Amino acid sequence: LDGSSIIDANFSVGSIFGIWPGKGVLGRTGREQVASAVTLYGPRTTLCIALPAASTSLGKDAVLEVTLTKEQSIWEVSREKIEIKASGKVFAPGNLRASNDNEQYNALIRYWISERYTLRYTGGMVPDVYHIFAKSKGVFTNVSSEKAKAKLRLLYEVAPMGLIVECAGGHTVHEAKDASVLDEKIDDLDKRLGVCFGSIDEVAKYKQFMFGK
């Protein structure tokens, strides 16, 4: 269950699933997943499913959404295709305390505010990233610093969510290097890292501030 820290406030929470072929995940990457999914438990119960091109007969990546209906007894397709637009002025800045001693992150947040981006942030990874899927645009960040360490786990959270983002046409990047989170090796089951997910242009803006690119 993702979002346990906000469940007492009755905020939306969810579950994240990653599916790898064969046995074992150590030494592998998120790009080897054959599918991933995220469930959001809110006013509606929805399930967003990502299928890489190799897992379908379509010859391309696919992301769809199903919703639990009919007194929570039947899953019905609610969105046949989820695509993330190239840009979108909506931001969800996770681990904000890191901006106190991470100058680049602080500058990026001030940029979003000065450019009048819309803030959509609950403190839960699932609802915040799912908002990007719902609106087809936006950016989610969870950046660390010396005093505010990374919290998101590569295996259980980052890789499955990253697959959905990329299959929907968005980009992902490791907080500290210009590389997709799907190429990060799982060398520890509890490996944690910071990330940026979202619209291509918004992730590019993140790289500009964080990496000087």
Side-chain angles (χ1 to χ4, degrees):
L1 184 67
D2 182 81
S4 57
S5 64
I6 60 175
I7 197 168
D8 287 346
N10 204 29
F11 283 18
S12 296
V13 295
S15 297
I16 305 170
F17 310 90
I19 303 173
W20 279 262
K23 296 181 179 180
V25 292
L26 284 175
R28 304 174 76 171
T29 68
R31 203 169 293 284
E32 296 177 53
Q33 293 172 101
V34 294
S36 71
V38 57
T39 304
L40 182 65
Y41 312 116
R44 297 178 297 127
T45 297
T46 57
L47 178 67
C48 186
I49 305 166
L51 298 168
S55 297
T56 76
S57 58
L58 302 174
K60 59 182 180 179
D61 299 337
V63 180
L64 70 151
E65 180 193 76
V66 294
T67 298
L68 196 57
T69 63
K70 301 189 187 310
E71 298 183 350
Q72 299 187 348
S73 62
I74 295 177
W75 289 100
E76 293 187 355
V77 176
S78 44
R79 296 173 68 191
E80 293 185 354
K81 188 177 184 180
I82 292 177
E83 288 185 310
I84 300 174
K85 298 174 185 176
S87 62
K89 298 176 73 172
V90 180
F91 74 116
N95 204 20
L96 265 177
R97 62 172 63 89
S99 66
N100 186 55
D101 60 321
N102 185 322
E103 293 182 3
Q104 293 97 325
Y105 194 31
N106 184 279
L108 176 58
I109 291 168
R110 286 190 281 108
Y111 167 82
W112 286 328
I113 295 171
S114 67
E115 292 297 315
R116 303 183 67 82
Y117 276 54
T118 299
L119 175 66
R120 289 291 181 265
Y121 180 68
T122 68
M125 182 188 189
V126 168
D128 290 341
V129 177
Y130 209 105
H131 188 269
I132 296 175
F133 304 147
K135 300 299 182 181
S136 300
K137 62 183 180 180
V139 61
F140 166 87
T141 53
N142 195 294
V143 176
S144 66
S145 70
E146 184 64 29
K147 296 180 180 178
K149 303 300 184 182
K151 296 181 178 180
L152 301 180
R153 294 168 298 173
L154 175 61
L155 173 59
Y156 305 105
E157 297 161 314
V158 173
M161 289 293 269
L163 183 69
I164 302 173
V165 171
E166 293 200 7
C167 283
H171 276 186
T172 73
V173 68
H174 188 291
E175 69 165 332
K177 59 185 178 182
D178 188 3
S180 166
V181 300
L182 296 183
D183 296 319
E184 187 72 12
K185 184 176 292 187
I186 303 167
D187 48 24
D188 185 324
L189 297 180
D190 195 50
K191 184 173 185 176
R192 298 172 187 237
L193 64 155
V195 303
C196 176
F197 292 164
S199 297
I200 292 174
D201 292 348
E202 307 308 333
V203 175
K205 185 65 66 176
Y206 171 92
K207 293 179 183 179
Q208 179 182 332
F209 276 85
M210 301 301 290
F211 309 149
K213 295 187 176 183

